Amino acid sequence: MLGDGVPSATKENLYKDPTFPASDTSVFFNYSTPLSQFRGEISWLRPQEICSTPRLFSDSPQEVQVKQGILGDCWFLCACVALQKSKYLLTKVIPPGQPSWTDETYTGCFTCQIWQFGHWVEVTIDDRLPSLGGKLCFSQCQREDVFWLPLLEKVYAKVHGSYEQLWAGQVADALVDLTGGLAERWTLTDPGRSMERERTGRVLEKMVFRRLMNLKERCMISCSVLSSRQGASELGEFHAFIVIDMLHLSRVSGKEIILLRIRNPWGRRCWKGHWREGGQGWSQLDPVVASELLSQIQEGEFWVEEEEFFKEFDEITIGFPVTEEGQFQSLYTEQVLSHTQHLCGSWVKGQSAGGCRNNSSFPINPKFWLRIWEQSEVYIALLQKPQKYSADWAGRIQNLTHLAEEGPSLTEGIQGKNYQAVGLHVWKVEKKRFNLPKTLSAPPIVGTICHSYDREVHVRCDLAPGYYLIVPSTFLKDAERDFLLRVFSTGRICLSEIKPPPADAALCEELSPGEWETVQLQGCWKNGQSAGGSRNFHSFHTNPRFPLSIPLETGERNVKVTLRQHCQDSKFRPIGFHIFQVPNSSWKSHTSSFLHLEPLVSCVPHCYSQEVSQLCKLSAGNYVIVPSTYLPNTEGKFTVIITTKIDRKCIQSQETLGQVLQEVSFTAVMRR
């Protein structure tokens, strides 16, 4: 039966989403999570079939009352709280003008927006929601007649392909999808924790945490438990919570008490520490104060003392604040990041997937110019595009257990959401005097601590005006993936990609394995000026000349020189070239007397071909390449391509591999 708001005759005319049907195909993916036990039992009801007076929002939009059902998506529900902190975000994700169940024009169709890989994507659904026994079985608001949360959860499930694919994830990823901004994630310090975990993630100190808590009214703050420990809590593994409030209480017995108010998306009490109801902690306070604080907590909430918090929780995640105009603010300085740009890129096997700085192939990774126009606080973020989900969640739990033993070779077995281990490094450069091998051999000015299996990594830096080189990379060579590079800045910026030269199969012939550096030089033969012809003619010395230097410290080098002519009429002229060793006395002078000497290398006879090439070994010294046509006064344009083998010294880098996806809500979601 429908509620009073809609005549029952209209039920069959309500919108039914054909792309996300009310069936098990929209709920399940591969039946590998605990959700599979409800196969065939879930029904689909519209809000007015669940309660008599459904509404989209409550009268108090600031209520932080999300409640988790039988789906392990606490990571997503925590991120939804960010919408309640920002009117701009709420209207961005759930645009105004949604139908009301009491309207005569109600059709059962709702539309939301989710940020995906650089764009806000509009997603339309019907309002049929998964239910068990006539009640919502997944997320719901604390007030059962409010439906914005279960509808948004359905939108997010549709984006991912099914509800089951929301089982486990990172709060930070959901925050980015709901805000289009950034989220910061830290490891919490505790003397009992392994140093390995602290080395592979950023550690949040207590003083920084206290400062960040000042932003609690403007951004979402979440904490997570990733591993069970002997202690006073029953928090469950891989579970995310919402940090609601922080209180500095007066000193008692010489100690300042700092209490944190935490909410569990399960919607039930789960804290057994000193500050639980009836716990020993409250005896330190005035009974009136204690009673007042206990009266503030609602279902699923509890108070935790700061020392307990750092002991029992593993991570904290914070979304960047958003202004009323929709601009993001720095978590560190609260300055407005008013300038933002982004570009897409790809790591392609054999072309641009060079791996981390431990590999000599690192320089082939995609490279980007960042120009800073004025002193700025800058965030550079690298977001990888996940592949289609093919996860076996039970297998992922096993993978997490054996990570420390398997090491980097585990990447083939990490199926999660198929993320690569990615990192990001930045160098300061002078654009007009830029030497790539030398630059990349030097330490970067900023970079990620390690390559990690996160969907997005980012770095923060204060940059002076000038040019900067950004190199995103995967940990392993030949690991393929599309990515989005984003830059947020307080000052003016310009982001552009450094385009690699076009691939040339002919150029790769005869080249031995290893790293080669290519330089392309343009030139032309001009009648009466620089078209001197071959060495058979006295005018040979007027041909164009291109200097080539082999540094003394590098020793003998393998060099391939290619001469390519450009003919609009496709009628090739006979071409060739000679390489002369230049005496030291003539190197800085304009004399060409050495051209009468015998060349060290010759690519002759002149051939009617688009290009000719010669592979040779040159010792340290100075050389000149002289390209020519066979006959004088034969005009044409050409390119000289010099490819030099680089015997690169190993970069002094020990890139580390971070942890596998530390995703929350992995197990123990329904310990009720």
Side-chain angles (χ1 to χ4, degrees), residues 94-118:
I94 307 177
Q98 302 287 347
S100 170
W101 288 276
T102 58
D103 292 343
E104 292 183 0
T105 57
Y106 162 73
T107 62
C109 178
F110 286 82
T111 299
C112 297
Q113 292 193 117
I114 303 293
W115 189 90
Q116 291 285 282
F117 207 63

Side-chain angles (χ1 to χ4, degrees), residues 51 127 228 535:
C51 69
D127 62 352
S228 61
R535 295 181 70 226

Side-chain angles (χ1 to χ4, degrees), residues 45-84:
L45 300 177
R46 297 187 187 269
Q48 63 270 45
E49 296 175 295
I50 298 172
C51 69
S52 59
T53 57
R55 49 184 176 157
L56 195 59
F57 297 105
S58 68
D59 296 330
S60 178
Q62 299 305 315
E63 285 184 353
V64 187
Q65 297 296 322
V66 298
K67 191 173 181 180
Q68 186 179 357
I70 63 174
L71 180 63
D73 64 346
C74 60
W75 59 284
F76 170 69
L77 302 185
C78 288
C80 288
V81 175
L83 304 184
Q84 298 174 305

Side-chain angles (χ1 to χ4, degrees), residues 114-366:
I114 303 293
W115 189 90
Q116 291 285 282
F117 207 63
H119 304 282
W120 285 98
V121 178
E122 190 173 273
V123 183
T124 298
I125 58 167
D126 61 45
D127 62 352
R128 294 177 294 177
L129 298 170
S131 306
L132 284 171
K135 299 286 186 179
L136 292 175
C137 60
F138 296 150
S139 75
Q140 56 186 293
C141 296
Q142 196 70 27
R143 297 183 63 92
E144 295 184 358
D145 60 343
V146 176
F147 284 90
W148 71 268
L149 182 62
L151 288 170
L152 181 57
E153 182 186 49
K154 182 175 182 179
V155 166
Y156 205 57
K158 180 177 179 178
V159 169
H160 285 74
S162 69
Y163 278 94
E164 190 174 38
Q165 290 183 127
L166 299 186
W167 193 288
Q170 286 284 1
V171 176
D173 294 345
L175 276 170
V176 171
D177 290 343
L178 294 179
T179 68
L182 295 171
E184 198 86 63
R185 190 166 137 231
W186 289 274
T187 296
L188 295 177
T189 58
D190 181 74
R193 291 208 181 102
S194 73
M195 293 304 294
E196 176 65 19
R197 281 202 47 216
E198 294 192 12
R199 184 180 68 81
T200 57
R202 293 195 301 174
V203 178
L204 182 64
E205 303 295 339
K206 289 183 180 179
M207 294 306 298
V208 178
F209 170 70
R210 294 176 186 178
R211 180 179 59 80
L212 291 172
M213 283 301 299
N214 294 329
L215 302 173
K216 64 182 181 297
E217 300 300 327
R218 293 187 286 140
C219 58
M220 199 290 304
I221 302 176
S222 173
C223 55
S224 303
V225 174
L226 303 178
S227 59
S228 61
R229 292 182 291 279
Q230 295 295 326
S233 63
E234 294 181 355
L235 300 178
E237 293 180 294
F238 298 99
H239 191 48
F241 301 77
I242 304 158
V243 183
I244 298 176
D245 200 1
M246 181 178 190
L247 292 180
H248 293 253
L249 302 181
S250 59
R251 295 181 180 274
V252 178
S253 301
K255 178 184 177 182
E256 182 183 24
I257 298 176
I258 299 178
L259 292 184
L260 299 169
R261 184 176 164 193
I262 310 294
R263 176 169 178 79
N264 182 0
W266 287 342
R268 64 177 177 83
R269 304 287 164 82
C270 62
W271 181 247
K272 301 297 182 181
H274 294 302
W275 295 86
R276 68 185 184 277
E277 290 186 77
Q280 298 176 358
W282 298 105
S283 63
Q284 303 177 52
L285 300 181
D286 182 282
V288 176
V289 175
S291 177
E292 171 65 22
L293 293 178
L294 285 170
S295 68
Q296 292 179 13
I297 59 175
Q298 302 180 39
E299 184 180 0
E301 295 180 357
F302 52 92
W303 290 101
V304 180
E305 201 272 328
E306 186 184 49
E307 290 296 328
E308 284 185 306
F309 177 79
F310 273 80
K311 180 180 178 181
E312 296 294 337
F313 291 86
D314 294 281
E315 285 189 348
I316 187 168
T317 301
I318 303 181
F320 280 45
V322 184
T323 67
E324 294 181 359
E325 294 75 27
Q327 295 180 323
F328 296 96
Q329 293 177 274
S330 166
L331 283 176
Y332 297 88
T333 65
E334 299 186 39
Q335 291 191 79
V336 176
L337 304 172
S338 54
H339 301 268
T340 178
Q341 291 190 14
H342 68 263
L343 288 173
C344 294
S346 300
W347 293 291
V348 180
K349 183 177 180 180
Q351 298 181 30
S352 59
C356 69
R357 296 177 69 228
N358 296 341
N359 303 294
S360 61
S361 56
F362 177 77
I364 72 171
N365 280 302

Side-chain angles (χ1 to χ4, degrees), residues 400-552:
L400 281 165
T401 304
H402 298 296
L403 174 63
E405 302 163 5
E406 300 278 345
S409 62
L410 189 63
T411 50
E412 292 299 322
I414 298 169
Q415 294 303 316
K417 289 191 172 71
N418 290 317
Y419 294 130
Q420 298 288 354
V422 295
L424 184 67
H425 295 87
V426 182
W427 285 264
K428 178 76 171 68
V429 295
E430 297 295 336
K431 188 171 184 180
K432 293 183 179 179
R433 302 176 62 184
F434 175 56
N435 183 295
L436 181 63
K438 183 177 180 180
T439 297
L440 297 185
S441 296
I445 62 168
V446 67
T448 49
I449 297 174
C450 63
H451 281 67
S452 60
Y453 292 97
D454 290 312
R455 190 181 74 168
E456 185 170 48
V457 297
H458 69 262
V459 294
R460 173 194 175 271
C461 42
D462 293 307
L463 299 181
Y467 289 98
Y468 296 84
L469 176 69
I470 304 174
V471 183
S473 61
T474 56
F475 185 78
L476 294 181
K477 179 183 177 182
D478 292 333
E480 295 192 306
R481 187 57 49 93
D482 296 329
F483 63 83
L484 180 71
L485 186 70
R486 300 193 290 162
V487 180
F488 299 83
S489 173
T490 57
R492 291 180 301 143
I493 56 174
C494 180
L495 180 67
S496 60
E497 184 180 6
I498 300 177
K499 296 288 187 180
D504 188 344
L507 193 62
C508 297
E509 294 177 1
E510 304 178 33
L511 299 184
S512 61
E515 190 176 354
W516 294 74
E517 183 178 41
T518 300
V519 176
Q520 299 191 24
L521 306 170
Q522 308 294 324
C524 65
W525 296 292
K526 199 166 184 179
N527 188 9
Q529 297 182 26
S530 58
S534 67
R535 295 181 70 226
N536 296 337
F537 301 92
H538 294 294
S539 56
F540 174 76
H541 70 278
T542 64
N543 280 303
R545 286 172 282 175
F546 298 89
L548 171 63
S549 179
I550 306 297
L552 182 63

